[in-house]
Amino acid sequence: MIEELIRLLGKDAVLFKKEDLLAYECDAYTLEKALPRAVVFPRNTEETAAVVRLLNRRKIPFIPRGAGTGLSGGATPRGGEVIISLARMNRLLSVDLPNRRAVIQPGYINLHLTQAVADQGYYYAPDPSSQQACTIGGNVGENAGGAHCLKYGVTTNHVLGLKVVLPDGEVTELGGLPDTPGYDLVGLFVGSEGTMGIVTEITVRLMKQPEGVRTVLALFDRVEDASEAVSDIIAAGILPAALEMMDALAIEAVEKGTFPVGYPEGVEAVLLVDVDGVEAGLEEQIRRIVEVCRKHRVREVRPAASEEERARWWANRKTAFGAVGTLSPDYLVQDGVIPRSRLPEVLARIAEIGKEKGVRIANVFHAGDGNLHPLILFDSRVPGETERAVQAGSAILKVCVDAGGSITGEHGVGLEKREEMKYLWTEEELEVQHAVREVFNPEDLCNPGKMLPRPARCAEVKRHSKDSASQQK
Ligand SMILES: Cc1cc2nc3c(=O)[nH]c(=O)nc-3n(C[C@H](O)[C@H](O)[C@H](O)COP(=O)(O)OP(=O)(O)OC[C@H]3O[C@@H](n4cnc5c(N)ncnc54)[C@H](O)[C@@H]3O)c2cc1C
C-alpha cells in the first residue's frame, strides 16, 4: 500500500516510519492516542480522490486532517488508519469582491483569509481563538465558532459551497449557487467531523469591515454579577459583536501568560465586549452597556483608550487556553452550551463539581452565546486525577443538557464526547443519525468511530442503511 501511495503522490508526500507518525497520534485533545498506518499529503482534489479510491479498494479506513488543533479527537486515529493531511492544499484560489466570495483550498489557515482581503476593506468573520493555526477545512469539519460569532454566526453561516471527495473517491460539488433548491447538503456537511467525505475546495462569504469598532472592559467582584450583566446586555436589545468572560482562575492564568493586562487584585470576573457597526451609533451602545454593568455592581468599566489597548485586551483573552498551561501540567477543555439566562446557576454548579471531584476549574468563554469552556486542571502523573478530570467534564456536560443546552458549542464530539451524545439523543434518534451518515459513508471507512456512539441495534441499522444507500446512489 505504501508503494502504491508513493506512486500516486511521490516520496515526499507519504510518511510511514514510526518516528514520523508519532506527531499524528492525536490532535489537541491529548487524552486518547494511537498511531496511524501512514500520513499522506495530496496537493489537489485529483490526488485526494486517487488516494481515497485506493484506500477504498483496499478497505483501509482514513481520516481527513487539517492543522490538528481540534479539541475533541476528531483527527485522532484509533489505530491503523491512513491520515489524509490537507496541509499542502493551502492556496487561496480566487477572490470575488463584487460578489463577496472567496474560494480556498481546505488547508488554508483561517487568519490568512482576513489578512489577504483586509487592505480592500473586507474580512472573514468566523474567528476561532486558534485562527493563527487552524485551517478552514478543519473549521468546516467542526462548524467552528469564535468570539465574534455571537453577532455574525458560525462557520456554517459563511460557507456557500463545497467540493468534496466522497468516501468512494467520487468528486462532487455541493451548494455554490446564490440559492440552492432542494436539501441543504452544505449545511449537512458542515460540522460532520470528517465522517461524510473530504472537503477539497470551499467557497466562503466575505464581509465588509464595519465602519467602527469599540471595546469595553468590565471588572466584577462577583461572578454572579458578571453573568447577570451578560443576560441583561442582550435583553436590553444590544447585540455586541463579541461578549467574552473569564473567571478568577482564568484571570490568574492570563496574567501569567504572554499578554498580561494588569487586572487589579481580587477581580472575580472580566467581561470583554465588542460593539461594531456605523460609527454614529457606537457611543450610545457603549453608554448602555456601561449602564447595565453598573446596575450589576461592576467594580470598574471603561472603553479601550487606544487601538493598542484594545489589541492587548483581545490578545490576553485569545491566548487564555495556552496560558492555563502556566497553572497546571495538564488540562481538559470542555465545550458546553446553555441558554445564557442560566449562566449564574450553571457556573455555580461547575464550581461545585470541581470541589466534588477535587480538581480546579477555570472558565474562559463566549458568554454571549452561552458557550462555556470550563478548563479542568489536572496532573496526569497523580494516580486517579485524569479519571476525576474526565468525570468532572462529563458531569458538567450533563448539567448543560439539564439546563436546556448541549454538549458542544463549537469543538465537536469527536472521540471525546460520543458517550455524552446519549445525554441529548435517544437510541432511536442516534440510529437516524447513523443512517444519514451511511448514505455518504456506507462502509464507514471515512473517519470511523467518531461523533456517534454505536447504538445497541447498530448491526440492524447498518444492514438497513447499506441497502437504502445503494438504492439512493
Ligand atoms: C488554543 C485553541 C483555541 C481554540 N479556540 C477555538 C474557538 O474559539 N472556536 C472553535 O470553534 N474552536 C476552537 N478551537 C478548536 C479547533 O481549533 C477548531 O475545532 C478548528 O476548527 C480545527 O481546525 P483544524 O484545521 O485544526 O482541524 P483538525 O483538528 O485537523 O480537524 C478537525 C475535524 O475536521 C475534520 N476535517 C479536517 N479537515 C477536513 C476536510 N478537509 N474535510 C473534511 N473534514 C475535515 C477532521 O477529520 C476532524 O474531525 C481551539 C483550539 C485550540 C488548540
Side-chain angles (χ1 to χ4, degrees), residues 18 21-25 33-38 77-81:
K18 188 176 174 196
L21 299 180
L22 276 172
Y24 295 87
E25 64 179 358
K33 294 179 182 172
L35 277 187
R37 186 184 299 224
R78 292 187 310 157
E81 298 95 331

Side-chain angles (χ1 to χ4, degrees), residues 27-28 63-76 84 86 106-107 127-131 133-147 155 189 192-200 202 317-318 321-322 331 366 371 373 409-412 414 447 450:
D27 59 15
I63 304 175
R65 177 176 162 122
T69 67
L71 286 163
S72 58
T76 297
I84 302 181
L86 287 309
D127 63 336
S129 302
S130 52
Q131 69 183 141
C134 67
T135 66
I136 298 188
N139 297 167
V140 169
E142 301 290 7
N143 190 16
T155 300
F189 225 89
S192 61
E193 303 192 19
T195 63
M196 290 183 170
I198 302 181
V199 174
T200 58
I202 308 159
R317 159 63 189 92
K318 286 213 170 186
F321 284 9
Y331 65 91
H366 310 310
N371 183 191
H373 290 319
E410 52 184 23
H411 297 168
N447 216 358
K450 305 291 168 62

Side-chain angles (χ1 to χ4, degrees), residues 58 63 76 164 211 266 378 407 442:
R58 287 174 162 264
I63 304 175
T76 297
V164 173
E211 198 179 291
F378 67 99
I407 60 166

